[in-house]
Amino acid sequence: MNSISIVQLLSNAPIGENVCVKGWVRHFRGNRFIALSDGSTIKTLQIVLDFENMEEDILKQITTGACLSVEGELIASQGKGQALELNCTKLEVLGTCDAESYPLQPKKHSLEFLREKAHLRPRTNTFGAVLRVRHTLSFAVHQYFNTKGFFNLHTPIITGSDAEGAGEMFGVSTLNKKDIPLTENGEIDYSQDFFEKETNLTVSGQLEAELGAMGLGKVYTFGPTFRAENSNTARHLAEFWMIEPEVAFADLDDNMDLAEDFMQNVIGYTLKACKDDLEFLQNRLTDEEKSKPQNERSDMPLLEKLEFVTSNNFKRLSYTEAFDVLRNSKPNKKKKFQYPITEWGMDLQSEHEKHLVKHFGCPVILYDYPASIKAFYMRLNADGKTVRAMDILFPGIGEIVGGSQREERHDVLLQKMKDLNIDPEELWWYLETRKYGTCVHSGFGLGFERLVLFVTGMQNIRDVIPFPRTPGNADF
Ligand code: 4AD
Ligand code: MG
């Protein structure tokens, strides 16, 4: 008999039919009731056993974590807590699970503990919910762009350039580490390496996405990116997924409009599609926050927060306006910021971003940043000191999106690269798009895990990606 998923069973509710379900035992009580989970939904299916007519040996194998195939008749439940249950007529233990040594006991485990058990944590309620929400967000991203006429462009993972110019890259090499060839100057001789040049894992698909936009008009990338920044925070991963749209003929205002519409759309879609999971995650968060002081708790329950973000405009203000808000703010005057707001041009820290979001009570888009703190490719404003950059700041997250209108003027771009010691030879292909049919264009990058953090209400970025990569950790 073909098996059917629990989510299908619960939505079709074919009462009276014989069905087969496969999944893992969550708990087993009274030698009679199994809560079976198959991962298709946060809900479990109650299996009712006729234990008096079952072999003792088989009954003993029904332990938390064991994998079962169960056949029987679907009936309206007699008990409370579920609408349906399965009256078991045939049970097969597909995989036993030693109750003594199985790490996931039927009780609450800490998220830290579960990180050490990343191979098993997809079987828990919390990670099941997070991973289903993550999938739905990913689907919503592709659906949004497809509907809006964007083409998905697959940009390379291995690159010869540093898109962000921040130098925080993982090298890719096949040179023998014990006998690295050197040039006459004592430098590594990359001409003997696989690609005959120095290469790295990409930090961003943007530069290549720009090339795509200059021919296809509207493109987006959605792929893994890698940063060797040694930031051991709850917001940073060494390997994370980034969504980067790039649009020809779009200026910074168009870019902000796109980012806002896009964020509201994918969050709105997920709110509808993942109601059960989000309700579970909302309760989880409320529970967890009970032990926190009032001022560290969320302002709104999770679902209300998501609803709010999808239905209210983001606040837009320039860096200069934000700088004034921050300079005149209470925490600044009372010297509560670790980095006091002193000079125009300073980079904003996460404490400042958090303050701005709290101050306005909604997502904030900051634009027109000082040129000196932003990447080389951002378009210079007429004032000569700010660039057409934008960052989107989200409640509880801080920076979630970074983007800009790109410098489309060949001479201005070339000068900027020279000023920042970026070798124009290395990016000759990027410069050529400014020589041959250049145009105004813009784009942004959304850190996918930060979006998943926001939507699930989870607190640590290590808990929204199946197998996190962070300094000192590449297990699993
Ligand atoms: O602001 P970033 O560095 O911008 C870029 O890479 C541009 N090339 C994007 C573009 O314009 N196409 O990174 C974009 C976003 C950040 O706002 C943040 O959400 C996320 O990527 N991000 C990280 N997420 C997790 N771990 C890290 N180490 C991250 N670094 C950036
Ligand atoms: Mg940024």
Side-chain angles (χ1 to χ4, degrees):
M1 190 190 280
N2 285 337
S3 64
I4 179 168
S5 71
I6 293 177
V7 72
Q8 265 180 307
L9 261 190
L10 296 180
S11 69
N12 301 346
I15 289 181
E17 272 183 35
N18 261 317
V19 294
C20 171
V21 191
K22 293 177 182 173
W24 295 268
V25 176
R26 275 302 169 76
H27 44 81
F28 183 35
R29 78 190 150 82
N31 245 0
R32 190 165 167 79
F33 301 106
I34 302 171
L36 195 76
S37 160
D38 71 353
S40 62
T41 159
I42 187 100
K43 296 187 172 137
T44 52
L45 181 68
Q46 174 150 291
I47 314 288
V48 186
L49 300 185
D50 176 12
F51 66 97
E52 279 155 357
N53 291 314
M54 281 181 71
E55 282 172 43
E56 192 70 15
D57 272 7
I58 300 285
L59 276 175
K60 272 195 192 136
Q61 289 179 12
I62 305 174
T63 56
T64 296
C67 187
L68 309 182
S69 172
V70 188
E71 281 180 39
E73 187 190 350
L74 196 71
I75 56 169
S77 179
Q78 336 261 298
K80 267 198 257 169
Q82 66 279 319
L84 303 170
E85 57 192 24
L86 193 85
N87 233 343
C88 176
T89 48
K90 188 173 165 197
L91 184 144
E92 190 185 346
V93 179
L94 301 177
T96 57
C97 182
D98 176 37
E100 290 294 301
S101 62
Y102 186 50
L104 304 183
Q105 296 297 319
K107 61 162 195 172
K108 197 169 152 52
H109 293 290
S110 77
L111 296 171
E112 289 79 9
F113 171 81
L114 291 174
R115 264 173 233 150
E116 310 279 312
K117 311 282 177 229
H119 57 307
L120 298 172
R121 67 179 185 172
R123 299 185 192 185
T124 63
N125 277 331
T126 299
F127 286 93
V130 167
L131 294 175
R132 281 185 297 270
V133 170
R134 184 181 166 109
H135 159 81
T136 305
L137 281 166
S138 163
F139 176 77
V141 167
H142 289 294
Q143 178 171 263
Y144 176 86
F145 285 124
N146 187 54
T147 308
K148 301 277 175 182
F150 284 68
F151 298 106
N152 186 197
L153 189 78
H154 293 128
T155 52
I157 307 288
I158 300 174
T159 65
S161 65
D162 176 3
E164 288 306 298
E168 291 163 327
M169 297 180 295
F170 291 100
V172 175
S173 170
T174 56
L175 291 178
N176 179 353
K177 285 191 190 111
K178 286 187 188 145
D179 184 19
I180 293 178
L182 300 178
T183 63
E184 282 174 10
N185 306 333
E187 284 163 3
I188 297 173
D189 184 5
Y190 285 108
S191 71
Q192 296 188 45
D193 206 343
F194 187 91
F195 296 107
E196 299 177 11
K197 63 183 284 195
E198 188 177 358
T199 51
N200 304 292
L201 294 178
T202 187
V203 295
S204 159
Q206 178 199 322
L207 302 192
E208 290 91 353
E210 283 188 55
L211 312 182
M214 302 295 270
L216 293 160
K218 296 198 274 189
V219 300
Y220 73 103
T221 71
F222 187 171
T225 46
F226 308 86
R227 295 197 185 175
E229 44 192 347
N230 211 349
S231 357
N232 232 325
T233 79
R235 301 279 173 273
H236 289 87
L237 289 165
E239 176 179 304
F240 63 101
W241 289 68
M242 189 157 36
I243 295 143
E244 297 182 275
E246 195 67 38
V247 186
F249 318 117
D251 64 13
L252 191 68
D253 287 321
D254 300 324
N255 203 26
M256 292 193 269
D257 290 345
L258 173 68
E260 190 170 331
D261 186 56
F262 163 71
M263 301 287 281
Q264 292 185 326
N265 193 293
V266 297
I267 294 171
Y269 177 86
T270 306
L271 246 180
K272 287 201 191 82
C274 294
K275 219 157 184 8
D276 293 345
D277 286 320
L278 289 173
E279 271 167 11
F280 169 84
L281 290 166
Q282 167 169 282
N283 294 338
R284 197 203 73 82
L285 182 62
T286 310
D287 244 23
E288 192 183 274
E289 288 188 339
K290 276 183 190 149
S291 61
K292 287 186 176 175
Q294 194 70 38
N295 66 339
E296 283 175 33
R297 295 184 197 171
S298 316
D299 297 338
M300 301 175 195
L302 183 63
L303 291 169
E304 200 180 313
K305 177 189 81 172
L306 299 178
E307 208 66 77
F308 178 88
V309 165
T310 57
S311 52
N312 286 281
N313 290 341
F314 298 1
K315 170 77 184 169
R316 300 183 189 187
L317 75 166
S318 69
Y319 168 92
T320 305
E321 289 165 330
F323 181 79
D324 284 338
V325 170
L326 288 167
R327 200 180 42 185
N328 297 323
S329 70
K330 242 194 204 157
N332 195 49
K333 288 186 167 158
K334 292 194 165 169
K335 305 211 177 331
K336 289 271 160 66
F337 283 143
Q338 193 187 344
Y339 299 89
I341 296 292
T342 48
E343 240 166 288
W344 187 96
M346 64 183 280
D347 207 352
L348 300 182
Q349 303 297 324
S350 87
E351 55 178 349
H352 307 132
E353 296 175 343
K354 286 199 176 121
H355 178 82
L356 287 169
V357 172
K358 261 218 143 59
H359 178 84
F360 291 105
C362 65
V364 171
I365 311 185
L366 294 188
Y367 60 88
D368 285 351
Y369 278 80
S372 56
I373 56 171
K374 288 291 182 188
F376 74 96
Y377 49 71
M378 299 188 180
R379 195 182 196 282
L380 193 63
N381 276 312
D383 63 12
K385 55 179 195 170
T386 59
V387 286
R388 301 245 73 191
M390 66 143 181
D391 274 7
I392 303 186
L393 317 177
F394 258 41
I397 303 289
E399 180 192 334
I400 193 163
V401 164
S404 66
Q405 185 175 324
R406 317 306 189 189
E407 184 55 78
E408 86 284 12
R409 298 163 296 184
H410 184 270
D411 296 346
V412 183
L413 183 60
L414 188 62
Q415 188 55 50
K416 185 71 167 287
M417 289 169 72
K418 284 180 180 159
D419 293 347
L420 293 177
N421 279 324
I422 297 170
D423 186 4
E425 294 284 307
E426 227 169 71
L427 291 180
W428 63 271
W429 42 272
Y430 187 69
L431 279 158
E432 277 204 354
T433 53
R434 273 65 175 173
K435 239 164 62 185
Y436 304 129
T438 193
C439 71
V440 166
H441 62 287
S442 302
F444 64 82
L446 164 69
F448 186 55
E449 283 74 20
R450 293 198 185 169
L451 175 66
V452 184
L453 265 183
F454 179 73
V455 173
T456 57
M458 299 296 284
Q459 302 295 305
N460 194 311
I461 200 160
R462 292 164 179 79
D463 298 329
V464 297
I465 185 165
F467 306 104
R469 299 289 175 254
T470 50
N473 176 30
D475 287 341
F476 309 104

